[in-house]
Amino acid sequence: MTTVTPIRSATALRTEVRTAPPLRPVDDASVVQSIVHSTVQAAIEVLAGTRPLHQLARRLDHKCLASLQHRLALIKREAARTAAPGIARLHRNSAVRSVRICDVADGIYEGSAVVVDETRVRAVAVRLERSRQVWRVTELVIG
């Protein structure tokens, strides 16, 4: 025996209004924490040579971008100059283990992250400021 599904009329279908669950308000702290996590991960990948630097151009201000570019050039130059195996493994397989943030002032957060790679554990400090409704990293210090 087969069961038959009854056919509903068009008026019955119109009366069944499906409502989406209400959206949660997003607080700045959770947004900033995810920005810090993804930015630190991306910056370490840039230093490892697995991500292009220009992908961080929208998130970092000009000073941080220039500083990261300078550090990348130093790493590449040192790797080309010496055949040290430690330089080749520097920043490889990095993962952000934890992120902490602190509200400094209205529209300004500071954060820290712990990054683990193949050879060491390092700390990263980040300062984010909101400008024109966009969070921008104004300080990025990688230990």
Side-chain angles (χ1 to χ4, degrees):
M1 295 192 125
T2 60
T3 58
V4 177
T5 306
I7 299 174
R8 293 188 245 174
S9 67
T11 56
L13 289 175
R14 274 186 244 134
T15 58
E16 293 179 15
V17 177
R18 294 184 179 168
T19 59
L23 298 174
R24 294 183 296 134
V26 178
D27 61 329
D28 284 344
S30 63
V31 170
V32 168
Q33 186 160 6
S34 67
I35 290 171
V36 169
H37 187 278
S38 62
T39 303
V40 168
Q41 182 69 43
I44 295 296
E45 289 172 2
V46 165
L47 294 177
T50 59
R51 178 185 292 261
L53 180 66
H54 68 83
Q55 287 185 359
L56 286 173
R58 295 185 71 194
R59 180 68 61 200
L60 302 178
D61 71 347
H62 297 297
K63 187 181 76 162
C64 290
L65 196 63
S67 176
L68 191 62
Q69 186 175 17
H70 178 70
R71 185 169 177 161
L72 177 62
L74 290 175
I75 290 172
K76 286 182 178 179
R77 187 177 72 189
E78 188 65 22
R81 189 177 68 83
T82 64
I87 298 290
R89 290 192 334 231
L90 196 60
H91 304 293
R92 296 286 179 196
N93 297 326
S94 298
V96 177
R97 290 290 182 224
S98 66
V99 173
R100 306 262 189 238
I101 60 166
C102 177
D103 185 10
V104 176
D106 189 34
I108 300 173
Y109 279 83
E110 289 184 351
S112 63
V114 176
V115 179
V116 179
D117 61 27
E118 285 184 3
T119 58
R120 61 192 289 190
V121 177
R122 48 181 87 241
V124 179
V126 180
R127 181 180 178 99
L128 283 95
E129 296 179 10
R130 186 194 310 244
S131 63
R132 292 178 279 164
Q133 302 302 319
V134 175
W135 289 102
R136 182 153 315 241
V137 175
T138 57
E139 291 290 331
L140 177 68
V141 181
I142 301 172

